[in-house]
């Protein structure tokens, strides 16, 4: 016969309090992350207050009570409907855990909402992880249903009101902490962090006017080309043994190459809006949203007499991305999207259309400034180059992102060989010195190509590889319009923060004024201050950090 202690334990575990504790253990181990939970508890205790810590624990306790009331509710209809929603939310959470190593949280919700136009591509690329998450979530819910049938205790139907009550408390805490406190059971976390991200409307103030007139005419045709997902160390320019950009390597004497630069942040949206706005390192995280009120590079160009172009090779519809707003369109004369103009255009041909368009703009009799967002090597890599141009093999299938490191590297290197090397081959053949064009080139961010076992290539928040922000940076000045002083050399201080002042210098604004307001340019000596970059959200919403940029990597890619 079982001992009296065992009998009492069974009775306790079969009670409402005992079941609440058991459910809490399951949630902490399966639906949440113990490490994330520990971080939140210590963050609230030591960086906030005991009151906020108690508020989080109260919200978590209410969430568990709501789950318990749903799981063991006497009303079968409530239980069935709740289980469907639980299955969906747990699937989303587990998909993210399989893809990036941690659960869906606020910063992921922000990124997903800002890139919702790419949802179909993401579903194709991560179909395997999604299938695994569906299977895992189904098994978990099946297990909970099996336990429900063996537990006698039932909650009254009215107890289901605990769900919206707990939801309101959790949503308030997510909004209050701008996503820093975001780890709760999946049934709450997934919809509420997404709702918080959607309703966190960014301000759209009027941008400040250009406060000064240019002091010189500026170069006639100035193009800033921002590539997509290009890691500088994967170019032949930085690694001569790697045959990804043989053409560029053969003409390297024509480039003012500044080596491996660091991007502002390891994701596209924040990187591009910072480049457009001249956001400075000292302002990060930009919790006051000063980026949106800064004078944009388009405004400076307009004041200097340029016709302004924004060319987006990534999106096909009439959609603004990268945190741009209608305010920015006031200073852009022409917005062009190759995919919208040629709907049947293959994805890998978009950048070649951009190269041809820049040739045309370089021959315009008027002054032209163009900001280009290339299609680049955006995942999945296999779609960014023609299949018959593959130089490195074996490769991933067009719908795969990561299979193994060798195939991933080969596929990525093929993408670089096409979208960087072939793009520049066409550009440098088509634009002659007489066209008086200067091209500043970089990438929005790099790609994590290390064997870390993490299936995302950028936009990570934790244990971020410097490869995610290691980007190329050079200037091509075929007509030798720019006088590069001896100080304009590669160095450990080169970063995205050098680009905005460089563009202003090339547009004709006074060097002293530019340096005073925006810091050193690529025409100045490298900044000797240690480089840093952002992870998470540029505006500090949700988990984020300023991290040191240390290069080269301690463990190079094999």
């Amino acid at each position: 016969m079982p001992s009296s202690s065992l009998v009492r334990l069974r009775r306790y575990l079969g009670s409402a309090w005992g079941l609440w504790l058991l459910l809490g253990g399951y949630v902490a181990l399966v639906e949440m992350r113990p490490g994330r939970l520990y971080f939140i508890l210590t963050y609230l205790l030591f960086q906030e207050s005991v009151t906020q810590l108690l508020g989080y624990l109260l919200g978590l306790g209410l969430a568990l009570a709501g789950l318990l009331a749903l799981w063991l509710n006497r009303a079968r209809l409530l239980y069935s409907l709740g289980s469907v929603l639980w299955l969906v939310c747990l699937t989303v959470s587990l998909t993210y855990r399989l893809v990036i190593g941690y659960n869906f949280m606020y910063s992921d919700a922000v990124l997903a909402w800002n890139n919702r136009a790419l949802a179909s591509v993401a579903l194709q690329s991560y179909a395997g992880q999604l299938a695994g998450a569906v299977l895992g979530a189904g098994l978990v819910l099946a297990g909970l249903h099996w336990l429900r049938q063996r537990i006698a205790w039932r909650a009254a139907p009215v107890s289901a009101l605990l769900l919206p009550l707990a939801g309101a408390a959790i949503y308030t805490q997510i909004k209050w902490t701008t996503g820093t406190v975001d780890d709760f059971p999946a049934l709450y976390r997934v919809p509420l962090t997404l709702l918080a991200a959607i309703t966190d409307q960014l301000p759209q103030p009027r941008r400040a006017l250009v406060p000064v007139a240019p002091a010189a005419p500026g170069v006639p045709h100035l193009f800033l080309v921002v590539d997509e997902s290009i890691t500088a160390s994967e170019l032949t320019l930085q690694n001569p043994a790697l045959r990804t950009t043989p053409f560029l390597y053969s003409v390297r004497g024509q480039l003012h190459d500044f080596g491996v630069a660091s991007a502002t942040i390891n994701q596209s949206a924040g990187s591009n809006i910072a480049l457009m706005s001249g956001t400075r390192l000292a302002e990060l995280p930009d919790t006051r949203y000063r980026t949106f009120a800064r004078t944009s590079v388009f405004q400076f160009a307009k004041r200097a007499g340029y016709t302004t172009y924004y060319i987006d090779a990534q999106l096909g519809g009439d959609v603004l991305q990268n945190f741009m707003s209608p305010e920015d369109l006031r200073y852009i004369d022409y917005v062009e999207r190759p995919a919208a103009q040629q709907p049947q255009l293959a994805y890998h041909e978009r950048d070649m259309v951009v190269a041809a368009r820049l040739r045309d703009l370089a021959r315009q009799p008027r002054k032209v400034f163009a900001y280009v967002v290339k299609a680049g090597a955006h995942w999945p890599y296999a779609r960014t180059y023609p299949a018959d141009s593959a130089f490195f093999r074996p490769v991933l299938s067009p719908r795969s992102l990561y299979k193994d490191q060798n195939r991933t590297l080969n596929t990525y290197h093929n993408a670089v060989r096409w979208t960087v090397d072939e793009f520049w081959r066409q550009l440098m053949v088509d634009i002659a010195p007489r066209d008086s064009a200067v091209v500043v080139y970089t990438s929005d961010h790099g790609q994590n190509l290390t064997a870390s076992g993490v299936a995302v290539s950028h936009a990570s928040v934790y244990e971020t590889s410097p490869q995610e922000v290691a980007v190329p940076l050079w200037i091509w000045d075929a007509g030798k319009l720019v006088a590069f002083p001896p100080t304009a050399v590669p160095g450990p201080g080169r970063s995205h923060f050098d680009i905005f002042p460089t563009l202003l210098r090339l547009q004709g604004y006074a060097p002293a004024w530019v340096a005073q307001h925006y810091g050193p340019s690529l025409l100045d000596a490298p900044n000797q201050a240690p480089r840093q970059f952002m992870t998470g959200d540029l505006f500090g919403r949700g988990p984020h950090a300023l991290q040191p940029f240390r290069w080269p990597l301690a463990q190079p890619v094999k």
Side-chain angles (χ1 to χ4, degrees):
M1 293 180 62
S3 66
S4 58
S5 298
L6 186 57
V7 170
R8 285 196 297 271
L9 177 61
R10 286 179 176 176
R11 287 177 180 174
Y12 179 75
L13 292 178
S15 68
W17 280 110
L19 292 168
W20 181 83
L21 287 174
L22 287 175
L23 189 60
Y26 150 76
V27 166
L29 294 174
V30 177
E31 297 198 10
M32 299 168 65
R33 287 191 309 141
R36 178 68 181 162
L37 179 59
Y38 174 78
F39 163 77
I40 290 175
L41 295 177
T42 54
Y43 168 81
L44 291 174
L45 180 60
F46 296 111
Q47 297 189 41
E48 296 295 336
S49 66
V50 174
T51 301
Q52 290 200 30
L53 173 63
L54 294 176
Y56 173 71
L57 293 175
L58 177 61
L60 183 57
L62 280 174
L64 293 174
L67 281 182
L68 183 65
L70 174 67
W71 176 36
L72 298 177
N73 202 283
R74 191 179 304 135
R76 288 183 173 273
L77 180 60
L78 284 175
Y79 166 70
S80 299
L81 293 176
S83 295
V84 172
L85 180 59
W86 199 346
L87 177 66
V88 172
C89 294
L90 187 56
T91 296
V92 172
S93 184
L94 291 179
T95 299
Y96 271 76
R97 176 175 283 194
L98 291 174
V99 171
I100 60 180
Y102 52 82
N103 295 328
F104 181 86
M105 58 185 185
Y106 179 85
S107 57
D108 300 309
V110 171
L111 193 62
W113 181 250
N114 289 337
N115 293 277
R116 57 192 181 277
L118 301 173
S120 61
V121 177
L123 289 174
Q124 290 179 0
S125 299
Y126 297 117
Q129 290 92 335
L130 177 60
V134 171
L135 178 61
L139 290 174
V140 167
L141 269 295
L144 290 174
H145 180 73
W146 180 83
L147 286 174
R148 170 187 162 91
Q149 293 178 317
R150 282 152 181 80
I151 296 173
W153 185 85
R154 288 291 182 269
V158 71
S159 65
L161 291 174
L162 285 170
L163 281 166
L165 179 64
I170 291 170
Y171 181 74
T172 300
Q173 192 151 39
I174 293 172
K175 294 283 284 187
W176 187 17
T177 62
T178 51
T180 301
V181 177
D182 62 354
D183 207 6
F184 294 94
L187 182 62
Y188 301 91
R189 174 172 28 86
V190 171
L192 294 180
T193 52
L194 185 59
L195 178 62
I198 294 172
T199 56
D200 277 348
Q201 295 294 327
L202 293 170
Q204 294 184 5
R206 286 294 180 95
R207 288 190 177 271
L209 299 178
V210 180
V212 65
V219 300
H221 304 104
L222 178 59
F223 307 143
L224 172 60
V225 177
V226 183
D227 218 323
E228 170 66 51
S229 302
I230 303 301
T231 303
S233 59
E234 303 309 298
L235 307 184
T236 311
L237 290 169
Q238 307 302 328
N239 186 356
L242 187 61
R243 303 292 291 170
T244 53
T245 54
F247 170 75
L248 279 172
Y249 189 75
S250 70
V251 297
R252 61 191 181 279
Q254 301 180 38
L255 305 175
H256 295 274
D257 185 8
F258 296 96
V260 179
S262 58
T264 303
I265 191 169
N266 62 338
Q267 55 153 291
S268 300
S271 184
N272 275 283
I273 195 65
L275 285 171
M276 292 180 194
S277 307
T279 304
R280 311 310 299 160
L281 176 61
E283 298 171 345
L284 300 180
D286 186 13
T287 55
R288 296 172 60 185
Y289 303 106
R290 286 178 288 191
T291 293
F292 296 117
R294 277 183 163 276
T295 311
S296 76
V297 68
F298 295 107
Q299 290 174 269
F300 279 105
K302 291 286 289 181
R303 179 68 184 272
Y306 289 86
T307 300
T308 54
Y309 287 79
Y310 173 69
I311 302 175
D312 185 348
Q314 294 183 359
L315 300 184
D318 188 17
V319 179
L320 287 175
Q321 63 168 333
N322 299 326
F323 295 120
M324 293 180 70
S325 73
E327 169 68 9
D328 296 304
L329 296 181
R330 297 177 59 208
Y331 310 102
I332 301 173
D333 295 310
Y334 299 97
V335 176
E336 298 183 1
R337 300 181 178 89
Q341 296 161 342
Q342 304 179 47
Q344 303 304 316
L345 187 68
Y347 191 90
H348 62 260
E349 290 295 340
R350 294 180 184 182
D351 284 344
M352 306 310 145
V353 172
V354 169
R357 182 59 177 146
L358 292 180
R359 174 202 61 201
D360 295 339
L361 293 178
R363 296 172 182 173
Q364 293 287 326
R366 58 190 176 185
K367 293 171 66 177
V368 171
F369 170 75
Y371 187 111
V372 177
V373 178
K374 282 177 80 265
H378 201 294
W379 58 265
Y381 304 139
R383 71 168 179 164
T384 64
Y385 63 90
D388 59 5
S389 72
F391 180 82
F392 301 92
R393 296 183 183 276
V395 297
L396 300 175
S397 68
R399 293 192 175 186
S400 297
L401 181 58
Y402 284 89
K403 291 291 186 181
D404 58 69
Q405 191 190 25
N406 183 49
R407 288 177 181 269
T408 299
L409 284 172
N410 286 341
T411 311
Y412 180 73
H413 290 158
N414 285 330
V416 170
R417 193 176 172 97
W418 174 262
T419 194
V420 179
D421 208 45
E422 184 59 29
F423 170 84
W424 274 94
R425 184 196 305 275
Q426 295 194 23
L427 194 68
M428 296 180 79
V429 167
D430 289 344
I431 296 180
R434 65 177 180 275
D435 294 325
S436 302
V438 175
V439 182
V440 181
Y441 174 80
T442 189
S443 180
D444 53 358
H445 54 77
Q447 297 283 278
N448 180 3
L449 301 168
T450 61
S452 62
V454 178
V456 291
S457 55
H458 70 284
S460 65
V461 180
Y462 304 111
E463 300 179 359
T464 301
S465 167
Q467 279 196 321
E468 294 188 31
V469 291
V471 295
L473 179 58
W474 64 71
I475 296 177
W476 179 48
D477 175 21
K480 301 187 184 305
L481 305 175
V482 183
F484 287 89
T487 56
V489 296
R494 297 306 186 187
S495 72
H496 270 187
F497 300 110
D498 297 335
I499 295 177
F500 194 89
T502 301
L503 295 174
L504 299 195
R505 291 276 302 270
L506 296 177
Q507 289 173 1
Y509 291 92
W513 185 90
V514 172
Q516 178 185 357
H517 291 85
Y518 294 98
S521 72
L522 294 174
L523 304 181
D524 303 308
N527 190 340
Q528 297 303 315
R531 287 184 285 182
Q532 293 180 293
F533 65 94
M534 277 284 298
T535 63
D537 179 64
L538 187 76
F539 306 104
R541 301 171 300 169
H544 63 276
L546 268 175
Q547 300 190 25
F549 179 76
R550 298 187 178 94
W551 196 264
L553 290 176
Q555 296 293 332
V557 177
K558 297 180 181 180

